[in-house]
Amino acid sequence: MGATPGIATGVLIGVAVEKILYRPLVAKAKGPSFLQVFLTGWTFVLIGNSFGRMIWGSTGYILDTGLPIWHISLGSANLSSDDLIIVSSAWILTIATYLFIRYTALGRSIAAVRSNFEMAQVVGIDPNKIYTIVFALFSFLTAVAGVFQIIKFLVVPDAGDQPIYYAFVAVFIAGVSGGVFRFATVGLLIGIISNIVTYRLDVKFSPVFVFGILFIVVALLPYLQKIKISIIKSIIRPSDLHFKTSRM
């Protein structure tokens, strides 16, 4: 329960950032821009980290949840009760987010704005309202993820830096128009790769491999698009399309 004020504060800060920073950018660009949003958000994160160090310093603190901790062994892996709570809660929130986007009227409005900004306005959806709701929702999810992070590791001002790096890589690889489960799957794979590299080599090599994957994807993306277009053209040939005309 002690995390509730922190999560609520995170939601309020997220909504404030959307209204004060992101909305003017979207209005100036006449539409959402992923790069602008990311760079603005990352600048805000750096400022927040510096401000946190000024107030609390760089010393790490252990968060005591007050819950009993027990461990189970699966082969050579040793899992704690905190690990199981974090994993199960993450998937519960992922499924809940998917159901919300897929089956509620508000969720469908969010999907409409994401898919076609101009058409959503034509049918009467207010993008500004949707942006505020989305930032509130995902600020909540980010705050919960932050609680998981400091439960697993330490409470430090830059505790969220590496997860943000990896989240950026996951969003870029999955595509900004990807679905909830695509993001979750890509994020899971990145986490698995990061942990394998940490276990087999060293923790300092983990970011190198993760961003190496991003570099490979960016380098291969034009070729993958060409292959995709070639496959579509081979499946649907112009000679297979027949148009019938009739006189009125």
Side-chain angles (χ1 to χ4, degrees), residues 169-187:
V169 175
V171 170
F172 194 93
I173 294 176
V176 292
S177 61
V180 173
F181 284 113
R182 184 188 296 180
F183 290 132
T185 302
V186 173

Side-chain angles (χ1 to χ4, degrees), residues 107-219:
R108 287 191 289 270
S109 297
I110 293 173
V113 173
R114 181 190 65 181
S115 301
N116 195 319
F117 178 81
E118 290 78 11
M119 185 58 66
Q121 289 181 303
V122 171
V123 298
I125 298 175
D126 183 4
N128 290 329
K129 178 181 177 181
I130 295 300
Y131 288 152
T132 301
I133 293 172
V134 167
F135 268 84
L137 172 61
F138 289 99
S139 294
F140 166 77
L141 295 175
T142 303
V144 173
V147 173
F148 293 161
Q149 176 76 5
I150 61 179
I151 287 176
K152 182 66 177 176
F153 299 103
L154 292 174
V155 182
V156 289
D158 58 351
D161 285 2
Q162 189 177 66
I164 291 176
Y165 289 144
Y166 291 175
F168 168 71
V169 175
V171 170
F172 194 93
I173 294 176
V176 292
S177 61
V180 173
F181 284 113
R182 184 188 296 180
F183 290 132
T185 302
V186 173
L188 178 63
L189 292 175
I190 290 174
I192 291 174
I193 293 171
S194 174
N195 281 277
I196 290 175
V197 172
T198 300
Y199 178 73
R200 295 292 184 182
L201 298 176
D202 191 271
V203 65
K204 63 184 178 183
F205 292 108
S206 178
V208 176
F209 274 78
V210 171
F211 280 93
I213 295 172
L214 177 61
F215 175 78
I216 293 173
V217 171
V218 172

Side-chain angles (χ1 to χ4, degrees), residues 1-246:
M1 295 299 293
T4 302
I7 294 175
T9 302
V11 172
L12 293 176
I13 292 175
V15 172
V17 168
E18 186 274 329
K19 289 182 177 296
I20 297 172
L21 296 180
Y22 293 148
R23 188 172 296 185
L25 285 175
V26 172
K28 184 179 295 186
K30 298 181 180 180
S33 171
F34 174 70
L35 182 59
Q36 286 180 330
V37 169
F38 173 77
L39 292 177
T40 304
W42 189 245
T43 302
F44 186 79
V45 168
L46 294 177
I47 294 174
N49 286 348
S50 300
F51 187 70
R53 289 191 184 95
M54 290 173 57
I55 297 177
W56 296 288
S58 300
T59 304
Y61 300 92
I62 298 176
L63 179 64
D64 184 9
T65 61
L67 298 175
I69 299 178
W70 43 267
H71 296 80
I72 61 173
S73 297
L74 297 175
S76 60
N78 185 26
L79 301 178
S80 69
S81 55
D82 288 342
D83 293 327
L84 297 178
I85 292 174
I86 291 172
V87 171
S88 59
S89 298
W91 280 108
I92 289 173
L93 290 173
T94 299
I95 294 172
T97 302
Y98 169 78
L99 295 176
F100 171 76
I101 298 294
R102 184 73 173 80
Y103 295 106
T104 67
L106 183 56
R108 287 191 289 270
S109 297
I110 293 173
V113 173
R114 181 190 65 181
S115 301
N116 195 319
F117 178 81
E118 290 78 11
M119 185 58 66
Q121 289 181 303
V122 171
V123 298
I125 298 175
D126 183 4
N128 290 329
K129 178 181 177 181
I130 295 300
Y131 288 152
T132 301
I133 293 172
V134 167
F135 268 84
L137 172 61
F138 289 99
S139 294
F140 166 77
L141 295 175
T142 303
V144 173
V147 173
F148 293 161
Q149 176 76 5
I150 61 179
I151 287 176
K152 182 66 177 176
F153 299 103
L154 292 174
V155 182
V156 289
D158 58 351
D161 285 2
Q162 189 177 66
I164 291 176
Y165 289 144
Y166 291 175
F168 168 71
V169 175
V171 170
F172 194 93
I173 294 176
V176 292
S177 61
V180 173
F181 284 113
R182 184 188 296 180
F183 290 132
T185 302
V186 173
L188 178 63
L189 292 175
I190 290 174
I192 291 174
I193 293 171
S194 174
N195 281 277
I196 290 175
V197 172
T198 300
Y199 178 73
R200 295 292 184 182
L201 298 176
D202 191 271
V203 65
K204 63 184 178 183
F205 292 108
S206 178
V208 176
F209 274 78
V210 171
F211 280 93
I213 295 172
L214 177 61
F215 175 78
I216 293 173
V217 171
V218 172
L220 295 179
L221 191 59
Y223 301 100
L224 294 176
Q225 289 177 340
K226 290 181 180 180
I227 294 173
K228 181 179 179 180
I229 294 173
S230 300
I231 293 175
I232 293 175
K233 287 182 177 181
S234 65
I235 296 175
I236 304 177
R237 297 186 297 272
S239 59
D240 296 332
L241 300 177
H242 302 282
F243 300 94
K244 295 182 179 180
T245 59
S246 59

